[in-house]
């Protein structure tokens, strides 16, 4: 798996629809539903996403892995998202640095719409479309993506809503890399504007979570 791996805890069972509530989460969900082969696959995936039967999601540059359980067994899902090239990453960093408050907004869990619009004007498509969401699953389903992969993609929408830096990480610009590049430009926030990374936890707990995720995923090949 490329880049640093961030292990996110599994979601508990959720009642009601698995809907996104923030604009970039809704854009991600639209891409997921574009990727679904049938409306029935998407419906089954939404129910599975709410069920609490998806293990920790591990996110890295360019991809993610998770274990999914259903009535037929335990399956390993591996997904991919196109990575921005060096020029695109540089343009994205410049876009973040171009307006005061953007990096603070990202660190606070917001993704300014103007940031994405200006990135697009610079030739950087931050939010992927359906055809760019790749996946494989050990279930052997006849269509790609299968409902298990779609369910993980739905849960990724919730992660992205809580922390848009997860989206940047997937696309090739992890949080530490972004902050280092901004610091080089003199644009990094001061300590009072840089809250602790919500993904940072006690190292022993993180290691335990990673080991449990590895055990669930078995011999899944690297991204």
């Amino acid at each position: 798996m490329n880049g640093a791996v961030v292990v996110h805890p599994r979601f508990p069972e959720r009642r009601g629809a698995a809907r996104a509530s923030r604009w970039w989460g809704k854009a991600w969900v639209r891409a997921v539903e574009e990727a679904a082969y049938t409306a029935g696959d998407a419906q089954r995936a939404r129910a599975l996403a709410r069920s609490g039967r998806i293990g920790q999601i591990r996110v890295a540059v360019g991809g993610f892995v998770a274990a999914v359980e259903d009535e037929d067994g335990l399956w390993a899902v591996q997904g991919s998202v196109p990575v921005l090239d060096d020029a695109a990453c540089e343009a994205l960093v410049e876009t973040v640095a171009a307006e005061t408050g953007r990096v603070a907004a990202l660190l606070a869990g917001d993704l300014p719409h103007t940031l994405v619009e200006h990135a697009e004007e610079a030739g950087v498509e931050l939010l992927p479309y359906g055809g760019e969401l790749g996946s494989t699953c050990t279930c052997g389903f006849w269509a790609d993506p299968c409902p298990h992969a779609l369910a993980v993609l739905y849960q990724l929408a919730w992660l992205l809503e809580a922390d848009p830096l997860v989206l940047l990480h997937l696309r090739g610009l992890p949080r530490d890399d972004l902050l280092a590049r901004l610091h080089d430009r003199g644009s990094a926030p001061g300590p009072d504007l840089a809250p602790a990374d919500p993904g940072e936890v006690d190292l022993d707990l993180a290691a335990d979570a990673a080991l449990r995720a590895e055990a669930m995923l078995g011999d899944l090949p690297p991204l």
Side-chain angles (χ1 to χ4, degrees):
M1 184 176 289
N2 296 326
V5 178
V6 180
V7 180
H8 294 274
R10 64 186 302 162
F11 287 94
E13 183 177 355
R14 289 190 172 196
R15 296 184 181 275
R19 292 194 180 101
S21 59
R22 309 186 79 176
W23 76 265
W24 64 93
K26 292 177 180 180
W28 180 274
V29 167
R30 283 195 297 272
V32 175
E33 293 181 344
E34 287 173 3
Y37 194 78
T38 68
D41 290 345
Q43 183 178 11
R44 181 183 171 194
R46 288 192 294 270
L48 189 56
R50 297 193 305 268
S51 70
R53 292 184 290 177
I54 297 177
Q56 290 97 344
I57 300 176
R58 292 184 297 156
V59 173
V61 171
F64 57 90
V65 290
V68 181
E69 183 181 7
D70 65 8
E71 61 277 6
D72 296 318
L74 183 65
W75 314 106
V77 171
Q78 179 176 1
S80 63
V81 180
V83 174
L84 302 175
D85 61 23
D86 290 342
C89 282
E90 188 66 17
L92 181 56
V93 172
E94 290 178 359
T95 303
V96 173
E99 188 171 302
T100 302
R102 282 180 172 172
V103 63
L106 287 169
L107 291 169
D110 187 26
L111 181 60
H113 201 284
T114 55
L115 190 161
V116 175
E117 288 181 337
H118 293 168
E120 289 176 355
E121 292 171 4
V124 181
E125 296 284 345
L126 185 57
L127 286 157
Y129 58 86
E132 292 183 310
L133 301 175
S135 66
T136 60
C137 181
T138 54
C139 73
F141 192 68
W142 64 275
D144 177 27
C146 69
H148 306 114
L150 289 170
V152 176
L153 287 164
Y154 275 121
Q155 286 208 351
L156 272 172
W158 304 341
L159 293 176
L160 269 55
E161 283 198 328
D163 183 3
L165 290 170
V166 174
L167 174 61
L168 273 63
H169 191 134
L170 278 168
R171 296 293 259 164
L173 192 61
R175 177 182 186 274
D176 289 347
D177 190 10
L178 170 65
L179 294 180
R181 295 190 189 204
L182 290 170
H183 183 270
D184 289 344
R185 288 172 170 74
S187 305
D192 57 325
L193 293 179
D197 183 358
E200 289 179 358
V201 295
D202 181 87
L203 291 179
D204 290 337
L205 292 177
D208 178 66
L211 288 172
R212 284 186 281 115
E214 290 288 352
M216 294 175 74
L217 293 167
D219 296 326
L220 187 69
L223 289 174

